Amino acid sequence: MSLEYENDGALHAKLVEEVLSQYPDKAAKRRKKHLSVAKSGEEAGEEGEVVSECDVKSNIKSIPGVMTVRGCAYAGSKGVVWGPVKDMVHISHGPVGCGQYSWSQRRNYYVGTTGIDTFGTMQFTSDFQEKDIVFGGDKKLEQIIDEIEELFPLNNGMTVQSECPIGLIGDDTEAVSRNKAKQLEKTIVPVRCEGFRGVSQSLGHHIANDSIRDWVFEKKEVEFEAGPYDVNVIGDYNIGGDAWVSRILLEEIGLRVVGNWSGDATLAEIERAPKAKLNLIHCYRSMNYICRHMEEKYGIPWMEYNFFGPSQIESSLRKIAKHFGPEIEEKTEKVIAKYRPLVDAVIAKYRPRLEGNTVMLYVGGLRPRHVITAYEDLGMVIVGTGYEFAHNDDYQRTSHYVKNGTLIYDDVTGYELEKFIEGVRPNLVGSGIKEKYPVQKMGIPFRQMHSWDYSGPYHGYDGFAIFARDVDLAINNPVWDLFQAPWKKSPSRGEALAAE
Amino acid sequence: MPQSAEKILDHAPLFREPEYRHMLAEKKLNFECPHPDQIVTDQCEFTKTWEYRERNLAREALVVNPAKACQPLGAVFAAAGFERTMSFVHGSQGCVAYYRSHLSRHFKEPASAVSSSMTEDAAVFGGLKNMVDGLANTYQLYDPKMIAVSTTCMAEVIGDDLHSFIENAKDENSVPRDFDVPFAHTPAFVGSHVDGYDGMVKGILEHFWKGQERSQVKGTINIIPGFDGFCVGNNRELKRLLDLMGVSYTFIQDASDQFDTPSDGEYRMYDGGTKIEDVKKALNAEATVSLQRYNTRKTLEYCEEVGQATAPFHYPLGVQATDELLMKVSAISGKEIPETIRLERGRLIDAMADSQSWLHGKKYAIYGDPDFVYAMARFVMETGGEPTHCLATNGTSAWQAELKELLASSPYGKDAQVWAGKDLWAMRSLLFTEPVDLLIGNSHGKYLERDTGTPLIRLTFPIFDRHHHHRFALMGYQGGLRVLTAILDKIFDKLDRETSQTGVTDYSYDLTR
């Protein structure tokens, strides 16, 4: 269900020009490279320049003092990749804050007895004090690992998530982890995800991926009877249950999900991953690294897919099925047919209420493109989109999704986003908690697109229904019409005449 | 198929549907390699024992579920309480994203702050360039009246010197020479957010007061609220009381408007806050009153240094604490406490008397920042309740001693225990081994409520999972009424729940209580 439309590229170009004019020269020059207007295929590439349709620079340092929305490598590792692995204890190693602010905030749903056999919604910290900075924290880390083992004996392993000071004071968390792992016969993974490394969360994803390669794979004999339809789901963090509504579909088409990375995952699911037949990757940005590694080392192919909205779900299911052949393909068509009435009913209910509404997105490294078609399935129009921490390959992929004239912003600053939203006045903005309240104050409906605004899941057919409901309730709530005090409203012509 | 367009199920009901229960059970069985159920149950039961408690409390290095945050959060909160002030946090940028999110999730409001975005090269060469460029960008983009600089632990570990960096930035015209850039070093590995608050407020006062001539204006008072997630309700309530008394006062740091901006179509990046002119004039006040002693230790020392009288309080909540604050203010200002306030006091006492039978002898566990815990313990005792466990992860030994003295002064405090430096995993053991009727804390306490069944009353920062509580005052007599009502509602709701089974327990499902 592809929606045909074109955005107001001229307006968007003007907005870009306007925001750049407000920066000091040096900053304007740097920010210019991150802002653009998507061009159609014919316009792009003239004068021999190698450009994608969304030609912006990405994955480079943020400018100081401009209010970037980005986080850090720790957030990418502990917050995103490792944190959801539920049967391991993840130690926020360093001062108390990082673990405190990220505690239970990503809504990585899991099933387990928290504090006993699972530890997802807990905050384990080494709570560094001045003496740990001065004398080093390795001894303390050893003691922490022992204390975890005593008080939480059913943990199936630990990770040491380094915060900024660890790398600066020269602690050897690798040596501590290696020794303790040997002594306790447990998996202990040191992750050098100090917040100052890299330019955003993104390097933290990469470092976390590498730590799986180096500290988990091939460390244990994995007993597992492999089957012909075994797949790993990679890069689904089960936010609000996303991985569950995806899993049910994959199982229905006849596949066996032997591991989910990393929402609701156990260490065992990660360890056995190299035995699967195919890696299905949802969040390409945060986990493509380990897929490439498994391809090189174990010959496991990987495939990107998109479970946001029926159009993408259908084409993804068919693409996945094709890989496995006629038997799965046949089941897949049945599954698609089974859900078609639900999809039709959801669209029939909500499309008339949402048709033509405009949306601006600003999210992390995947959703700024992945959710676009889900909105379009509801008849909505994407006027602008951008990523916090995408790389060039993400913007290349984005060009398959966005329409001509779409406003593109990479690592947008608070100032830019506010001005863009003011200038465009979309009907909905989808972004994060830091953006939510400023946007709503402007009288513009908003949905958090990291946490699903405490709702979800949004993946899969079951999730699409919830997504449609949530978009509708955001846009069509009566509160947006109450912003202006009636005595401040300029009287309409009719009222003015009547008063005379 | 559980989902339908007519009745859309989101996560809470959806995954209780048979298809999903079956799927998750199969996942666990076939793919998770879980521990056998019996082992999990046994361990779960073991964590409820005195033996586990002893091991848990003997922990020396590991901290689990602490009730404190790091210094820069306090500094960012503090800066938000001054007119058109932008927080500039020098160091790694991820930290700033965290402070902003944390504050927004509690207040349901925008929270602005910028970072100097230091990365690996800055870790090697220092962050001077980041400061120089950063201040220029902030100044130009966000049009602040003041930029308040604090630090993340990264900048502290490499030893960046804020004073000289800011001077350098001014030399390079990042901001005009006379533009106000106060600062505070706020290492995350020392103290907690309350100390960051202290440091930033002191930094701002020093910036404006240093080298200035003080000419005392008799009877004028500065009020420093401290880090307070209820500042929106509390500051406004206190101002109302002070206005009723006709006192001449200045709030030093007041985020009540910043974190409560209206929705009328305009996004206000800055709103309210102590005016810079007023901060300057505040040097001349006769006295500075701190509403939270453990949030303002250094600031009050500084106020004393410049010659002001000081008076620290512990989050004036409840009857006697409010009495003391008002009498102190009256003594300094020479203004009488008007009859209207005495009547308000009487109404709180009236409410307490009406409800005393439901409150007498109830046992409480209380956690939070040191001054809050002190205040709640005191109010609980005023209602005839017993503050069985008083815990502050960021409580010092001085706090412990002071609170113990308070508890010893009342028969209701004789069995109370004070836990300085302990965390909420320790509290879990305390609640299992020495149970209480009610738990007073913040949203993090919901895990304790789930595990131990102790009803949680959310009365302190951060409150993420309930809306708008912070808009209502806890301090003063009016605030006392609100706290009282919150406690009573929790008691009555629980009692109704426990007596609502038709034909079994509902003989006690009384219409009037």
Side-chain angles (χ1 to χ4, degrees), chain B residues 267-485:
Chain B
Y267 161 47
R268 298 156 174 83
M269 179 168 269
Y270 310 101
D271 202 9
T274 309
K275 294 215 172 341
I276 285 167
E277 280 315 303
D278 293 342
V279 179
K280 290 178 183 166
K281 279 189 238 157
L283 172 62
N284 303 324
E286 180 177 338
T288 292
V289 168
S290 162
L291 302 182
Q292 297 193 70
R293 164 177 240 161
Y294 293 101
N295 285 241
T296 49
R297 284 167 293 182
K298 289 186 173 147
T299 303
L300 286 194
E301 265 174 37
Y302 178 64
C303 291
E304 281 161 21
E305 268 172 42
V306 302
Q308 296 173 345
T310 61
F313 289 83
H314 299 295
Y315 206 93
L317 174 161
V319 181
Q320 293 164 86
T322 305
D323 293 348
E324 285 168 13
L325 175 71
L326 295 178
M327 288 191 295
K328 187 64 164 186
V329 167
S330 173
I332 300 167
S333 64
K335 304 279 185 185
E336 298 234 329
I337 302 170
E339 181 64 3
T340 48
I341 294 182
R342 194 187 69 85
L343 295 177
E344 269 183 31
R345 181 184 190 279
R347 291 183 192 116
L348 171 61
I349 306 302
D350 181 67
M352 289 164 68
D354 294 345
S355 311
Q356 54 83 20
S357 65
W358 295 100
L359 298 168
H360 194 98
K362 287 277 184 291
K363 290 178 189 292
Y364 295 78
I366 302 162
Y367 73 87
D369 285 343
D371 295 287
F372 172 80
V373 174
Y374 186 100
M376 276 312 308
R378 193 175 188 192
F379 181 57
V380 157
M381 292 195 293
E382 288 177 340
T383 67
E386 297 170 18
T388 306
H389 303 293
C390 302
L391 182 149
T393 309
N394 51 355
T396 59
S397 51
W399 167 78
Q400 183 161 342
E402 205 183 0
L403 181 52
K404 278 187 171 167
E405 198 182 313
L406 170 79
L407 295 164
S409 71
S410 161
Y412 302 100
K414 69 178 174 15
D415 295 327
Q417 300 169 78
V418 183
W419 306 97
K422 296 296 180 190
D423 53 38
L424 299 186
W425 191 255
M427 181 68 103
R428 188 177 182 273
S429 282
L430 300 175
L431 293 177
F432 274 127
T433 49
E434 293 175 274
V436 297
D437 298 298
L438 294 161
L439 173 65
I440 292 178
N442 56 27
S443 286
H444 291 131
K446 77 188 296 177
Y447 299 126
L448 294 169
E449 183 176 41
R450 175 196 60 195
D451 290 359
T452 70
T454 319
L456 168 68
I457 308 173
R458 294 159 177 84
L459 286 171
T460 194
F461 181 91
I463 300 177
F464 298 135
D465 61 340
R466 295 291 184 273
H467 293 192
H468 312 311
H469 290 199
H470 68 279
R471 295 176 195 267
F472 301 94
L474 304 181
M475 291 181 185
Y477 305 122
Q478 290 293 331
L481 265 178
R482 175 169 154 68
V483 175
L484 183 79
T485 311

Side-chain angles (χ1 to χ4, degrees), chain B residues 7-272:
Chain B
K7 189 169 182 237
I8 291 173
L9 307 178
D10 62 18
H11 55 88
L14 181 65
F15 300 125
R16 302 309 301 153
E17 292 291 323
E19 290 93 332
Y20 281 103
R21 290 162 83 126
H22 174 75
M23 182 191 84
L24 292 172
E26 289 290 309
K27 173 182 186 281
K28 182 177 176 185
L29 186 70
N30 299 319
F31 303 111
E32 292 190 355
C33 302
H35 296 284
D37 288 348
Q38 192 56 51
I39 288 182
V40 175
T41 310
D42 290 349
Q43 175 63 20
C44 196
E45 289 306 311
F46 177 55
T47 63
K48 300 174 183 173
T49 63
W50 274 91
E51 189 188 345
Y52 188 86
R53 164 177 163 154
E54 272 152 32
R55 292 186 199 181
N56 189 4
L57 293 178
R59 259 187 290 140
E60 288 173 345
L62 173 67
V63 173
V64 186
N65 298 355
K68 67 171 180 180
C70 67
Q71 279 211 45
L73 179 79
V76 169
F77 174 86
F82 293 88
E83 179 191 13
R84 286 192 81 84
T85 297
M86 179 59 78
S87 258
F88 182 106
V89 191
H90 183 55
S92 299
Q93 71 191 14
C95 314
V96 174
Y98 278 144
Y99 315 141
R100 294 180 62 206
S101 305
H102 207 63
L103 292 168
S104 279
R105 284 178 180 131
H106 170 81
F107 288 107
K108 317 293 180 204
E109 285 289 319
S112 299
V114 299
S115 165
S116 65
S117 295
M118 286 167 68
T119 54
E120 265 166 302
D121 52 345
V124 177
F125 301 111
L128 175 59
K129 203 169 151 295
N130 299 64
M131 177 73 79
V132 171
D133 291 348
L135 286 179
N137 289 331
T138 305
Y139 179 73
Q140 194 148 332
L141 278 188
Y142 296 110
D143 189 26
K145 248 190 155 161
M146 171 161 94
I147 298 177
V149 181
S150 52
T151 47
T152 78
C153 55
M154 181 226 187
E156 287 299 318
V157 172
I158 66 173
D160 278 2
D161 177 5
L162 290 183
H163 177 72
S164 74
F165 279 22
I166 292 165
E167 285 304 305
N168 267 301
K170 286 189 168 179
D171 289 344
E172 298 201 26
N173 299 317
S174 296
V175 296
R177 177 46 54 196
D178 59 355
F179 184 78
D180 295 310
V181 189
F183 65 91
H185 285 275
T186 49
F189 44 82
V190 176
S192 73
H193 57 287
V194 300
D195 301 287
Y197 179 94
D198 194 7
M200 193 74 246
V201 173
K202 183 184 175 215
I204 290 171
L205 294 187
E206 270 189 318
H207 173 83
F208 290 108
W209 292 359
K210 212 170 188 176
Q212 301 297 311
E213 193 73 27
R214 179 170 180 269
S215 57
Q216 183 170 309
V217 182
K218 251 194 105 44
T220 56
I221 303 175
N222 299 325
I223 311 268
I224 307 179
F227 187 101
D228 183 12
F230 280 69
C231 63
V232 172
N234 282 336
N235 293 3
R236 290 175 183 167
E237 174 60 12
L238 287 176
K239 284 183 219 169
R240 188 185 65 87
L241 289 171
L242 296 169
D243 289 342
L244 279 173
M245 290 174 71
V247 176
S248 169
Y249 65 91
T250 303
F251 261 73
I252 293 183
Q253 203 278 332
D254 175 12
S256 60
D257 289 339
Q258 179 67 53
F259 289 128
D260 191 25
T261 59
S263 269
D264 57 6
E266 179 198 352
Y267 161 47
R268 298 156 174 83
M269 179 168 269
Y270 310 101
D271 202 9

